[in-house]
Amino acid sequence: MRRTAILAVVAALGAGLLAGCAEDGEEPTGSSSGNGGGKGRTTLTVGVFGAFGLKEAGLYEEYMKLHPEIRIEQTSIERNENYYPQLLTHLSSGSGLADIQAVEVNNIAEITATQADRLVDLGKAEDVAKDTFLDWKWSQATTKDGRTVGLGTDIGPQGICYRKDLFEKAGLPTDREAVGELWAGDWKKFLEAGKKYQAAAPDGTSFVDSASGVMAAITGSNEKRFYDENGEIIYKTNPAVKEAWDTAAEFATEKLTARLQQFTPSWDQGFSNGAFATVSCPAWMLGYIQDKAGDAGKGKWDVAAAPRPSNWGGSFLIVPEAGRNKTEAAKLAAWLTAPEQQAKLFGKRGSFPSAKAAYSLPAVAAAAHPYFGGAPIGRIFSEAAEGVPVQIVGPKDLVIAQNLADIGMLQVDQKGRTPEQGWDAATKAIDNALDQ
């Protein structure tokens, strides 16, 4: 999941959404009490990766106004692949930790399974209520014995972003409700819609950006993907993964893709030159599309529901037991992840709430995106979020997903390898990575 790579380049979602850029910094060294900006004030440190959004949305400033006795200091390491190993090292040693640390969704299973005894049970923290969160998000940071060690910030419910002008030229409907009906309930219908598009496609355009993007969207709509409920790796034998692989590979072999690798310069350029008509897009990708497609794309792009509810991305906040101000840190984490603050974060940054109680708040329920033809993104992504199954997340999900995409499916999409050859290359790479 490449969420951290795009946080620094997403543009405004409507009036001020997703604005800002990444902030570089050093790993936190802990909290302090005392002067720290004012006599008697307690300083709470927050360690994050990338432009996480809490600071940029003004939430720290708001909390400090509500609590003059608290000072909040944030440090950020730009990329999660650099941030996370340091976090593990500091958790193991019990030093060098911030009072609150961010954790990306692909790392939360490992944190929950191996570091829970070093973390505060936030399920018991003041002002934290399980029923305000989506069940599947809450469960991702909950241990088998019922301790909840992370509170969800954002999630990545998915829709299908599509070019209305290209659909019209290919003889397909352009109204978002009618477009959603083309593939409602079945990713195979999405494939069939692609074949119809490609048969009459405007010159130089393809139905989707990449086969890997399709595969990620399909796997994101299943409860069991790479691991089972016992923590065993099952991706090689899981029918859901096989279906995702076969369907995505058919997009490649039927030449329905622009044969691009996501989050590369050529993929970015594809948005601006209209190389593809659709892309599987979680809520956080809307700003990315707006940034890359530019003013010329305004009103051409729209958002429809995905074939099945699917999730791609999200993060958590944890409170280490080694922190000096655990009680105050837990209060801050609870406030930052409360529905009202998650709604504000969505309004300012486009980070879609994991707190389902936020979906009825005006900032979410009434959200419409002017760049995407006034698409009711609050409704579309809320419905998707509530339909996502409780997903089993394993400690090496990211390793498996990235190798399936970048080693396996990319060879099928770009190099003409057979689906079988691509699968063999991916599984060998994954085996090697997991053995290290």
Side-chain angles (χ1 to χ4, degrees):
M1 200 282 285
R2 298 172 175 85
R3 173 179 177 270
T4 55
I6 74 166
L7 282 172
V9 294
V10 288
L13 264 176
L17 292 181
L18 289 181
C21 57
E23 171 190 346
D24 245 328
E26 298 300 322
E27 182 69 12
T29 56
S31 61
S32 62
S33 298
N35 293 332
K39 186 176 181 180
R41 296 177 74 181
T42 296
T43 297
L44 297 178
T45 53
V46 183
V48 303
F49 48 88
F52 200 76
L54 301 173
K55 179 180 179 180
E56 294 82 353
L59 295 182
Y60 298 155
E61 287 296 330
E62 182 177 351
Y63 191 83
M64 288 188 286
K65 288 179 181 178
L66 293 171
H67 301 274
E69 76 282 6
I70 297 295
R71 176 182 175 86
I72 301 171
E73 295 180 353
Q74 176 183 286
T75 57
S76 174
I77 292 176
E78 186 172 356
R79 300 183 67 84
N80 185 52
E81 53 262 45
N82 298 322
Y83 167 87
Y84 182 63
Q86 291 190 31
L87 174 60
L88 286 179
T89 298
H90 292 314
L91 282 170
S92 297
S93 66
S95 63
L97 289 158
D99 293 298
I100 296 175
Q101 299 273 177
V103 178
E104 205 267 344
V105 63
N106 283 301
N107 303 126
I108 195 62
E110 183 172 29
I111 288 289
T112 303
T114 66
Q115 305 295 325
D117 60 339
R118 297 183 173 97
L119 303 174
V120 173
D121 183 356
L122 294 175
K124 296 179 180 178
E126 185 178 344
D127 295 327
V128 172
K130 176 182 178 180
D131 60 3
T132 64
F133 291 86
L134 292 162
D135 291 341
W136 59 266
K137 182 71 172 183
W138 183 269
S139 71
Q140 287 178 334
T142 300
T143 65
K144 292 181 179 180
D145 61 359
R147 298 180 70 249
T148 300
V149 298
L151 296 178
T153 55
D154 61 316
I155 55 174
Q158 297 203 69
I160 301 293
C161 292
Y162 67 98
R163 283 278 297 257
K164 291 183 287 189
D165 56 329
L166 299 182
F167 267 45
E168 184 176 16
K169 291 176 181 178
L172 295 179
T174 59
D175 174 78
R176 68 180 67 94
E177 299 300 328
V179 169
E181 284 299 319
L182 288 174
W183 48 67
D186 191 345
W187 287 99
K188 288 290 187 181
K189 291 181 181 179
F190 188 57
L191 176 65
E192 294 306 312
K195 292 177 180 178
K196 291 178 182 178
Y197 174 89
Q198 213 65 54
D203 290 344
T205 71
S206 301
F207 182 62
V208 299
D209 61 322
S210 68
S212 295
V214 173
M215 181 174 62
I218 299 175
T219 54
S221 62
N222 289 285
E223 175 189 1
K224 291 183 182 179
R225 300 172 298 168
F226 310 138
Y227 287 77
D228 65 14
E229 61 274 14
N230 297 316
E232 298 296 324
I233 296 176
I234 61 166
Y235 80 94
K236 291 181 182 179
T237 58
N238 184 1
V241 174
K242 185 66 164 57
E243 178 186 4
W245 177 272
D246 290 345
T247 302
E250 192 169 350
F251 272 87
T253 57
E254 292 289 332
K255 303 188 184 306
L256 307 182
T257 84
R259 298 187 301 168
L260 298 170
Q261 184 177 13
Q262 293 187 324
F263 305 102
T264 62
S266 58
W267 187 66
D268 293 348
Q269 187 176 2
F271 286 108
S272 60
N273 63 22
F276 46 85
T278 70
V279 61
S280 301
C281 59
W284 47 259
M285 195 183 284
L286 298 182
Y288 192 91
I289 294 172
Q290 182 175 340
D291 182 59
K292 300 305 176 184
D295 291 341
K298 184 175 183 179
K300 294 179 179 178
W301 283 94
D302 210 321
V303 188
R308 290 172 53 200
S310 178
N311 185 74
W312 178 11
S315 298
F316 297 81
L317 298 180
I318 62 173
V319 174
E321 284 282 1
R324 299 178 187 176
N325 298 294
K326 293 183 292 184
T327 300
E328 290 298 334
K331 289 179 181 178
L332 174 58
W335 186 87
L336 291 169
T337 57
E340 294 77 12
Q341 277 63 255
Q342 292 205 27
K344 292 171 188 173
L345 188 62
F346 173 65
K348 294 286 183 66
R349 303 285 298 172
S351 300
F352 203 79
S354 63
K356 61 185 178 182
Y359 300 165
S360 60
L361 300 177
V364 179
H369 201 310
Y371 187 89
F372 290 79
I377 58 173
R379 175 180 63 81
I380 290 171
F381 291 119
S382 293
E383 291 176 355
E386 294 186 288
V388 173
V390 177
Q391 295 177 327
I392 298 170
V393 180
K396 300 300 179 183
D397 265 25
L398 186 59
V399 171
I400 296 171
Q402 285 187 336
N403 280 285
L404 285 175
D406 296 340
I407 301 297
M409 190 57 67
L410 196 64
Q411 292 192 16
V412 181
D413 207 10
Q414 291 189 353
K415 299 181 180 180
R417 303 287 195 271
T418 66
E420 292 76 18
Q421 289 172 328
W423 178 261
D424 288 343
T427 55
K428 288 178 182 177
I430 292 168
D431 287 345
N432 288 336
L434 296 182
D435 285 342
Q436 293 178 2

